Amino acid sequence: MQHHSACRTIDPNYATVDMFSVSLKATTKIKGLLEIVASVTEFDNIPIRHHEDGVLKRIYERLPSKLAQPKFNTPRIKTNILLQAHFSRVQLTPDLQSDQSLILGRVIPLLQACVDVISSNGWLSPALAAMELAQMCVQAMWDRDSPLKQVPYFTSDVIKRCEKAEVESVFDIMELEDDVRNDVLRMGKRELREVANFVNRYPNVEVGFDVADVDSVTAGGVVNIKVQLEREHDDVTLQELGPVVVPYFPSKKDVG
């Protein structure tokens, strides 16, 4: 059961941005980012129900990212567990699913605030980690999972058959001959239509760059680089593309 009404975008408060400024470092990775974001006051009102700590502990034992001495009756630990459960696509009770939807509705603006703080410090690695974590939240998958897991109806069995057929990326799906694709996917017409729709809308971004004053570049000097990103989408505007296909994310996510 989806709980869409809980997903209201809330801008981070000043205390949260201050906490990010103190907590984020040049060496912060995804695990650390997850702990920092789960600790914000925006999640203090996540309810802890009677005997729920035992349920959370059982879920936690199945999750990959472990915490130091977790207290299962705190909003901070519950938020971390429910985000990890989202990446692992763990089946939850209706109450926990409702709480998870509320968390997911707030987490993207918080990660955007992290990116702002990180960018103002000029740190590339944690900025990429924050953007990766945002993708994990939207697509309900870990950063180490196969990118094919984003595609509708791609179960672990379908992904295994894809890997045997040397299909590693979303773009490889469309390169297959029809008979090979049918054998690998083994889906009905409606599912195949949805897969084709997803693949056709999947972003193909080309990156180009120019170095300004290339003749005056010296070792150890400052270099200005102009970077150009171009998305191929067959003369279709981003508005016409519509929202991103994100079946596990509880609110609409626009392209961009």
Side-chain angles (χ1 to χ4, degrees), residues 1-3 82 91-102:
M1 181 178 169
Q2 296 266 347
H3 295 262
L82 291 184
Q91 198 69 39
L92 300 173
T93 63
D95 277 345
L96 288 178
Q97 201 175 338
S98 174
D99 298 336
Q100 188 185 61
S101 291
L102 188 124

Side-chain angles (χ1 to χ4, degrees), residues 2 19 30 54 74 109:
Q2 296 266 347
M19 188 269 272
I30 286 176
T74 60

Side-chain angles (χ1 to χ4, degrees), residues 1-40:
M1 181 178 169
Q2 296 266 347
H3 295 262
H4 293 264
S5 59
C7 295
R8 197 160 52 89
T9 300
I10 298 175
D11 288 329
N13 62 44
Y14 291 119
T16 294
V17 177
D18 280 347
M19 188 269 272
F20 289 162
S21 299
V22 172
S23 305
L24 292 163
K25 304 281 183 259
T27 53
T28 303
K29 296 183 170 59
I30 286 176
K31 183 178 188 290
L33 265 168
L34 185 58
E35 291 181 30
I36 290 166
V37 169
S39 303
V40 301

Side-chain angles (χ1 to χ4, degrees), residues 45-137:
N45 64 348
I46 299 292
I48 306 289
R49 300 175 189 87
H50 193 49
H51 296 315
E52 197 171 65
D53 53 343
V55 178
L56 291 169
K57 185 172 186 291
R58 285 195 295 277
I59 296 169
Y60 171 77
E61 284 164 356
R62 298 164 56 193
L63 299 173
S65 186
K66 299 305 177 191
L67 302 160
Q69 299 175 317
K71 291 186 172 67
F72 296 101
N73 59 351
T74 60
R76 175 173 69 89
I77 299 300
K78 178 173 178 174
T79 298
N80 189 302
I81 289 170
L82 291 184
L83 283 170
Q84 287 199 58
H86 177 63
F87 308 148
S88 299
R89 300 187 182 178
V90 173
Q91 198 69 39
L92 300 173
T93 63
D95 277 345
L96 288 178
Q97 201 175 338
S98 174
D99 298 336
Q100 188 185 61
S101 291
L102 188 124
I103 291 163
L104 290 168
R106 295 179 182 176
V107 75
I108 300 299
L110 291 165
L111 287 168
Q112 287 166 343
C114 283
V115 172
D116 289 344
V117 170
I118 290 164
S119 300
S120 68
N121 284 288
W123 298 329
L124 176 62
S125 183
L128 294 173
M131 289 185 260
E132 189 79 57
L133 184 52
Q135 276 296 98
M136 287 160 58
C137 291

